[in-house]
Amino acid sequence: NSLVMYNNLLHKEERRLNGRCRWSTPTQTVQSKVVEDFRRRLKYFFMNPCEKYRARGRKPWKLMLQILKIAIITVQLVSFGLSNEMMVTFKDENLMTFRHLFLKEYKDHRLGNYALYTKADVYDHISYIIDRYINLQNLTVGNLAYDSADGKYTPLSVCQEFYRNSSIDPENETFDIDPHIDKGTKSFDNHSSLATHVNFSLDFKRLLSVNIYLALKTINLQTVRHHELPDCYEFHIMIKFDNRAHSGKIKVKVENDARIYECRDWNVEGASGQNDYLLLSLDSVVILACFISLILCMRSIINGIQLQFEFNIFFHAYYNKIVSWSDRMEFVNGWYILIIVSDTLTITGSALKIGIQTKYLTNYDVCSILLGTATMLVWVGVIRYLGFFKKYNILILTLRAAFPNVIRFCCCAAMIYLGYCFCGWIVLGPYHDKFRTLDKVTECLFSLINGDDMYATFLKMRHEGYMVWLFSRLYLYSFISLFIYMVLSLFIALITDTYETIKHNQQDKVPVSQLQALIAECRDQPESGRYQTDEEPAACCLSPCCCFG
């Protein structure tokens, strides 16, 4: 089929030349002309924007647009980052405030270790929380107020979770338990009833947890100094007494869920809201620029795929060979795919940012992840333009050539790494804080590979038994020796070998693929003028677009 298509195109061009010129052109001349034009078309496709400008005078719109995007997206990210930082800081500081207000004798250094060990302490702390909540307005130095709805205060709730039935007798080593969990909740609609609430009982043998829920409001005023309108916050606080382990230690922790919304009535002297309008305008410009960039890059990828199909037909018809997969992928520009992903993330993140600024959304974390990732990809894309210079291009070529081998090598190394992770978690987890959970094991071992915190990891191993202690030494010494002295060395050697190979090929100017060899046969320089669209009748030459597309 490819040969038939090629012959049809060849006869069509021969008839076209005979009709447009005053002399007859032999078939061999037409064939050479078709091949040369297609070679020139391939070379033009793989030129950088500067060379294309010299070849056809086509302005590098995508290049200028990407430079513009780098500037405006970075400004947008910095603006959002400052706002997000103030929001996170305000929430963290309020959470610390709630711990100091509602946890008796709370100290900062006891974070994560706050626990109770007697029944009297549990009752005393619950009563303490209720009392502090009642007298909140007289205690706090912040702008905290009780939450209300329809003129009524949101009730404070005390909830219990406990086994349905249980009979536990450690002395006789017997127990009878129903694992179904029941819940009991008491809500208080007004503060007068809270003061009288001291008569409640807990069955600690069945008790799983006691959760105290309360809601408070405040206003984040620090944004005024940064020319932003203050937001109103609604904090839903949960104080949890966790007895699920039934080990005699009840852990106490405070969790805080914040809802951000626009204040009902506000007035800031000298504020006109101009800063908000500028931010919204910037976000709109970013979305427009990214949308145009997305369309241009998608068009370039589609053109590349079309040219790839034409190259397959040409190569099979003219050389009777099958194009390799690596040569086919040359037509799919990975940088354009990177830009498309970045543009998609930026458009989505900018839309969320507009929703946050207008107080319709509060997804700060999702928005920061989208914008942060998009900005990272935009700056990584700058490497493409550095690749236009030969001295910088070797880095990009090395990364691209070494990538398949690096992935295969990492897959093999990951099997050994996961084996050590599971082994360390099972054996050392009960005796070492850094091996307590599987995610902590992976983080600890990765730190060891990079030579971080080695001595502390050895030192913190508890001497619970000689056998486990000896195993920990063999485990750590073997892992460090294997990965630092062997795996990392092989990894570096793999990249170094690729670098030397590419450097040798560049010095000797050896084409490394069939596609590059075909393009290298075209000696026309960008300034030669032979890359202009061939539409003049007197030229008697073929248009690449007419030949193959």
Side-chain angles (χ1 to χ4, degrees):
N1 293 334
S2 300
L3 187 59
V4 172
M5 292 177 63
Y6 177 75
N7 290 331
N8 290 337
L9 290 169
L10 192 63
H11 292 312
K12 179 180 178 181
E13 294 302 331
E14 183 178 1
R15 290 193 302 269
R16 182 185 173 199
L17 281 175
N18 290 335
R20 290 179 60 178
C21 302
R22 287 175 295 182
W23 59 83
S24 177
T25 305
T27 302
Q28 188 66 28
T29 304
V30 175
Q31 185 174 359
S32 302
K33 185 66 175 176
V34 169
V35 173
E36 186 61 30
D37 286 345
F38 191 69
R39 251 193 225 115
R40 192 179 300 115
R41 185 181 175 194
L42 287 175
K43 186 173 182 178
Y44 178 80
F45 178 81
F46 288 101
M47 287 181 181
N48 62 53
C50 297
E51 291 175 337
K52 287 182 178 180
Y53 178 74
R54 294 197 299 268
R56 288 187 179 178
R58 193 183 74 175
K59 294 180 175 58
W61 297 112
K62 285 197 293 289
L63 172 60
M64 293 186 288
L65 186 59
Q66 299 309 316
I67 294 175
L68 174 65
K69 276 174 48 187
I70 291 174
I72 60 178
I73 289 178
T74 303
V75 172
Q76 180 197 44
L77 184 73
V78 170
S79 171
F80 178 76
L82 294 175
S83 177
N84 190 34
E85 181 183 3
M86 287 189 292
M87 182 273 299
V88 173
T89 302
F90 186 73
K91 289 170 60 176
D92 290 343
E93 291 179 353
N94 273 275
L95 179 59
M96 185 61 64
T97 299
F98 299 145
R99 291 193 179 113
H100 281 275
L101 283 174
F102 299 115
L103 298 185
K104 191 174 183 179
E105 298 177 357
Y106 177 81
K107 303 296 181 184
D108 290 350
H109 66 274
R110 296 177 59 181
L111 181 62
N113 297 318
Y114 195 93
L116 306 176
Y117 300 92
T118 65
K119 295 180 180 179
D121 284 342
V122 175
Y123 287 120
D124 182 48
H125 277 71
I126 294 176
S127 300
Y128 179 84
I129 293 170
I130 296 174
D131 181 68
R132 301 285 281 189
Y133 180 73
I134 295 173
N135 298 287
L136 181 66
Q137 298 290 353
N138 298 326
L139 294 173
T140 180
V141 296
N143 297 316
L144 293 174
Y146 301 113
D147 186 27
S148 61
D150 298 328
K152 296 181 179 180
Y153 288 118
T154 302
L156 180 145
S157 302
V158 180
C159 302
Q160 299 183 53
E161 291 184 354
F162 47 86
Y163 291 122
R164 181 171 299 173
N165 292 303
S166 68
S167 176
I168 303 173
D169 189 358
E171 182 179 357
N172 297 322
E173 301 177 356
T174 61
F175 67 90
D176 181 16
I177 188 169
D178 184 350
H180 292 89
I181 298 175
D182 289 337
K183 297 181 180 181
T185 303
K186 287 187 177 181
S187 300
F188 305 92
D189 295 329
N190 56 69
H191 300 94
S192 60
S193 63
L194 292 175
T196 61
H197 178 69
V198 290
N199 298 320
F200 63 92
S201 61
L202 301 173
D203 186 352
F204 287 93
K205 291 186 177 180
R206 293 194 299 154
L207 182 67
L208 292 173
S209 65
V210 177
N211 301 325
I212 299 178
Y213 299 95
L214 49 98
L216 298 173
K217 288 183 176 181
T218 188
I219 300 175
N220 185 6
L221 296 177
Q222 65 174 328
T223 57
V224 175
R225 295 182 289 107
H226 299 275
H227 306 289
E228 293 185 21
L229 292 178
D231 294 323
C232 286
Y233 285 71
E234 183 178 304
F235 293 115
H236 294 271
I237 306 162
M238 183 185 73
I239 304 174
K240 184 171 186 176
F241 296 77
D242 189 0
N243 190 41
R244 294 180 181 274
H246 285 90
S247 61
K249 176 183 179 180
I250 297 181
K251 301 176 182 178
V252 183
K253 61 180 179 180
V254 180
E255 296 180 358
N256 178 31
D257 181 26
R259 188 174 73 88
I260 307 172
Y261 57 93
E262 187 176 8
C263 294
R264 186 181 306 170
D265 188 15
W266 58 268
N267 181 34
V268 180
E269 289 294 333
S272 61
Q274 182 178 1
N275 189 61
D276 291 337
Y277 293 129
L278 291 176
L279 291 176
L280 291 175
S281 300
L282 176 63
D283 295 334
S284 302
V285 171
V286 169
I287 291 176
L288 178 62
C290 291
F291 182 75
I292 296 175
S293 172
L294 182 67
I295 297 299
L296 292 176
C297 291
M298 290 183 65
R299 188 192 67 171
S300 298
I301 288 181
I302 292 173
N303 291 337
I305 294 175
Q306 291 176 346
L307 187 60
Q308 177 202 104
F309 288 126
E310 296 172 12
F311 176 70
N312 292 340
I313 296 172
F314 170 84
F315 205 76
H316 180 68
Y318 191 82
Y319 296 100
N320 198 24
K321 293 181 180 180
I322 302 299
V323 180
S324 64
W325 178 254
S326 59
D327 281 349
R328 292 183 182 183
M329 294 307 297
E330 289 285 338
F331 291 90
V332 181
N333 195 320
W335 293 111
Y336 289 152
I337 297 176
L338 183 73
I339 293 173
I340 289 174
V341 174
S342 172
D343 290 337
T344 304
L345 295 176
T346 303
I347 292 172
T348 307
S350 298
L352 284 177
K353 183 174 179 290
I354 292 175
I356 291 172
Q357 286 181 277
T358 54
K359 313 306 177 188
Y360 287 105
L361 299 173
T362 57
N363 300 324
Y364 276 89
D365 292 338
V366 176
C367 184
S368 61
I369 291 174
L370 292 175
L371 291 181
T373 306
T375 306
M376 178 188 69
L377 295 179
V378 167
W379 279 97
V380 169
V382 176
I383 300 178
R384 174 178 181 249
Y385 304 111
L386 294 177
F388 298 157
F389 306 96
K390 292 184 178 180
K391 292 184 178 180
Y392 294 98
N393 191 41
I394 192 170
L395 170 63
I396 303 173
L397 294 176
T398 302
L399 292 175
R400 185 171 62 180
F403 184 75
N405 293 330
V406 167
I407 294 299
R408 287 191 287 267
F409 181 85
C410 289
C411 289
C412 296
M415 301 299 104
I416 305 174
Y417 186 79
L418 289 175
Y420 269 92
C421 287
F422 286 111
C423 178
W425 176 41
I426 295 299
V427 180
L428 304 181
Y431 308 101
H432 202 299
D433 292 337
K434 292 185 177 181
F435 292 82
R436 191 75 68 191
T437 59
L438 189 58
D439 59 327
K440 287 184 178 181
V441 176
T442 57
E443 294 166 0
C444 176
L445 294 184
F446 189 78
S447 299
L448 291 176
I449 292 177
N450 292 279
D452 183 30
D453 213 19
M454 284 189 181
Y455 180 70
T457 304
F458 280 94
L459 188 64
K460 290 182 180 180
M461 181 65 198
R462 301 206 311 261
H463 295 265
E464 297 291 341
Y466 179 75
M467 183 177 295
V468 176
W469 180 86
L470 179 61
F471 178 85
S472 69
R473 265 47 192 171
L474 294 175
Y475 173 86
L476 292 174
Y477 278 122
S478 62
F479 177 82
I480 293 171
S481 301
L482 177 63
F483 273 85
I484 290 183
Y485 302 132
M486 294 182 62
V487 175
L488 282 184
S489 298
L490 289 174
F491 184 82
I492 296 172
L494 183 66
I495 298 177
T496 304
D497 181 65
T498 305
Y499 173 80
E500 293 296 333
T501 302
I502 292 176
K503 187 177 179 181
H504 173 73
N505 291 336
Q506 281 193 338
Q507 290 176 348
D508 296 344
K509 297 182 179 179
V510 179
V512 295
S513 66
Q514 296 173 332
L515 175 63
Q516 294 181 8
L518 181 65
I519 296 176
E521 295 178 9
C522 181
R523 307 296 181 182
D524 297 331
Q525 297 301 317
E527 300 84 357
S528 63
R530 304 197 65 181
Y531 294 92
Q532 301 292 336
T533 54
D534 304 322
E535 296 295 334
E536 296 81 1
C540 291
C541 56
L542 305 178
S543 170
C545 297
C546 294
C547 291
F548 291 95

